[in-house]
Amino acid sequence: MNKIALQSVRKMLKIIDIGANLTDPMFQGVYNGSAKHQADLGNVLERGWVAGLEKVIVTCGTVFDCEQAFKIVNENDKLYTTVGCHPTRCGEFEADPDGYFTSLCNQIDQNRDKVVAIGECGLDYDRLHFCEKDTQKKYFEQQLKLAEKYQLPLFLHCRNAHDDFIEILTRNLNKIPKRGVVHTFDGSLEDAQALIELGFYIGINGCSLKTEDNLKVAAEIPDNRIMVETDSPWCEIRPSHAGSKFIKTKFPSVKKKEKWDKDMLIAGRCEPVMITQVLEVLAGIKSKPLEQLAEQYYQNTVEVFFPK
C-alpha cells in the first residue's frame, strides 16, 4: 500500500495496537539468529503512524526484555510498554523469586510514565515443556501483586488453562483494581463471557480469527469489551484463515527477506500497520461500519490504559 492510500485510511480511523513485540529480533533484520537485512523498526513504525495508529503498547515477556523495550519507547511519545513475565518464562523467578520481583518493580519505578500495564502474564498449558503448571500458577499470582502495588491494569495471556486462570483471577480480584485485557483471545464464547463478567476486556488479533468457530465467537463479543492488536511480528491473518475473506486492505510485500525494501512489508512478518486488517474482519463478521467499531475499540483502550 502506498503512502497516499495509507493516508486515506488515516482519515477514517484512530487506532491503538495494544500488543506488539517490537523487541523481537525480526525488527532488527534477524531471523532465527541469521541477519537478513538492516534494522527497520523505524520504517515499520512510520507505516503504522501514516495508517492511523496513535499509540502502540510494546509487550514485555520477561524482565530481560525491559532494557530494550524502554530504549525503544523512550524515543517516541506514541510508544508505551508493559512489564511482566510471560507464563512460559516464569522459571526465571525460581533462582531468586524476591530478587526477580524486585527487578520488575525497579523497571516500573524507573520508567513509570511509560508503563501502562503489568504483563504479559498468565497461564499457558499448551507449552508446558517451557514451564510446568505449578510454577506458572505461583508466579502468575505473584505478579498480580504488581497490579495492586502500582494500580495498573493487566495484559494477560491464557492458553488451554481457562479454569485455573479464572480461579486465580477471581481469588485475587481485590488486587486488580483496573482489571485489563486478555490478549490474543481464542477461547469459547463462554470463556469470554466469564472474563467479561470479572471486568476484563478481550484482545482480538489475527490468531483470534483463524477458524469459522473463532469468527462466530468474536462476532458475539460485545463491542464495548473488545480491544485490537497485532501481536507483531506474529499473528498475521493468513490467506488460509477464515477471517481472510473479509480483508480489503492489502500490503505489498517481499517473500525473500534478503530482498528487503524499506517501503514494503516482509511476507510472514506481521506489523502494527496490519491492525487495519483485524478491524476489517471484525467489521465483516459483525456487519457494522469499520469506523464505528474502530472508534469504540479506541475508546475502550483509552479508558483502560490511558485514562486522563
Side-chain angles (χ1 to χ4, degrees):
M1 174 176 276
N2 60 35
K3 191 167 185 177
I4 294 175
L6 285 172
Q7 287 172 335
S8 70
V9 174
R10 182 180 177 83
K11 292 176 183 177
M12 295 191 299
L13 308 177
K14 288 192 301 184
I15 317 169
I16 298 174
D17 185 348
I18 65 162
N21 300 284
L22 299 186
T23 62
D24 192 280
M26 289 189 205
F27 296 116
Q28 300 302 312
V30 178
Y31 300 76
N32 298 316
S34 177
K36 300 296 185 182
H37 59 78
Q38 69 187 65
D40 66 341
L41 181 58
N43 303 102
V44 167
L45 289 172
E46 180 59 23
R47 277 191 284 274
W49 308 144
V50 172
L53 273 169
E54 293 212 344
K55 294 180 177 68
V56 174
I57 301 174
V58 177
T59 307
C60 268
T62 164
V63 72
F64 301 109
D65 283 347
C66 287
E67 182 178 356
Q68 186 180 358
F70 287 117
K71 182 179 179 181
I72 292 169
V73 303
N74 284 327
E75 292 179 352
N76 194 311
D77 61 7
K78 296 180 180 181
L79 297 176
Y80 296 83
T81 190
T82 68
V83 169
C85 186
H86 190 283
T88 63
R89 303 291 295 272
C90 278
E92 294 175 1
F93 270 95
E94 294 283 67
D96 182 6
D98 292 340
Y100 196 94
F101 186 85
T102 298
S103 294
L104 292 172
C105 291
N106 289 341
Q107 292 293 339
I108 299 170
D109 290 335
Q110 294 164 17
N111 303 275
R112 186 63 185 86
D113 61 333
K114 283 292 189 176
V115 181
V116 296
I118 301 303
E120 177 176 2
C121 58
L123 300 175
D124 190 324
Y125 292 176
D126 280 344
R127 291 178 281 183
L128 292 175
H129 53 290
F130 290 122
C131 186
E132 53 92 24
K133 286 184 182 182
D134 287 344
T135 300
Q136 288 190 31
K137 290 192 288 186
K138 179 178 180 179
Y139 295 111
F140 173 33
E141 192 155 7
Q142 178 80 348
Q143 289 180 80
L144 299 183
K145 297 177 183 178
L146 292 171
E148 181 179 40
K149 177 179 174 69
Y150 292 102
Q151 295 291 292
L152 284 168
L154 292 162
F155 188 78
L156 293 165
H157 175 108
C158 181
R159 287 289 169 277
N160 194 27
H162 177 77
D163 290 346
D164 285 348
F165 189 70
I166 288 289
E167 189 276 327
I168 290 171
L169 289 174
T170 301
R171 182 157 40 82
N172 288 277
L173 277 182
N174 64 313
K175 295 186 176 75
I176 313 169
K178 297 189 177 182
R179 302 300 193 263
V181 63
V182 181
H183 99 110
T184 317
F185 182 81
D186 65 353
S188 68
L189 182 58
E190 292 73 23
D191 292 346
Q193 289 169 335
L195 291 163
I196 290 168
E197 286 174 7
L198 293 180
F200 292 95
Y201 288 75
I202 307 298
I204 301 293
N205 60 32
C207 288
S208 310
L209 304 167
K210 283 184 177 181
T211 69
E212 292 296 340
D213 284 343
N214 291 154
L215 299 186
K216 290 176 183 177
V217 171
E220 294 299 321
I221 297 174
D223 295 328
N224 66 352
R225 305 308 296 184
I226 288 177
M227 298 181 191
V228 288
E229 57 178 314
T230 59
D231 204 31
S232 305
W234 318 107
C235 290
E236 66 174 325
I237 302 174
R238 299 178 181 176
S240 60
H241 292 174
S244 65
K245 59 181 170 287
F246 295 103
I247 290 176
K248 297 179 180 179
T249 304
K250 307 291 186 179
F251 300 98
S253 63
V254 293
K255 291 185 178 180
K256 291 189 175 181
K257 303 170 183 67
E258 295 84 353
K259 294 188 178 293
W260 172 87
D261 183 299
K262 67 180 180 64
D263 294 321
M264 300 182 73
L265 282 68
I266 293 174
R269 184 184 72 170
C270 187
E271 293 187 10
V273 70
M274 297 168 79
I275 201 165
T276 301
Q277 296 179 334
V278 177
L279 285 166
E280 289 171 347
V281 176
L282 286 166
I285 62 177
K286 289 173 174 284
S287 299
K288 294 181 179 180
L290 186 147
E291 298 88 346
Q292 174 187 324
L293 293 180
E295 177 62 24
Q296 177 70 67
Y297 303 153
Y298 177 83
Q299 293 302 328
N300 297 344
T301 306
V302 169
E303 181 179 333
V304 174
F305 294 117
F306 303 100
K308 294 181 180 180

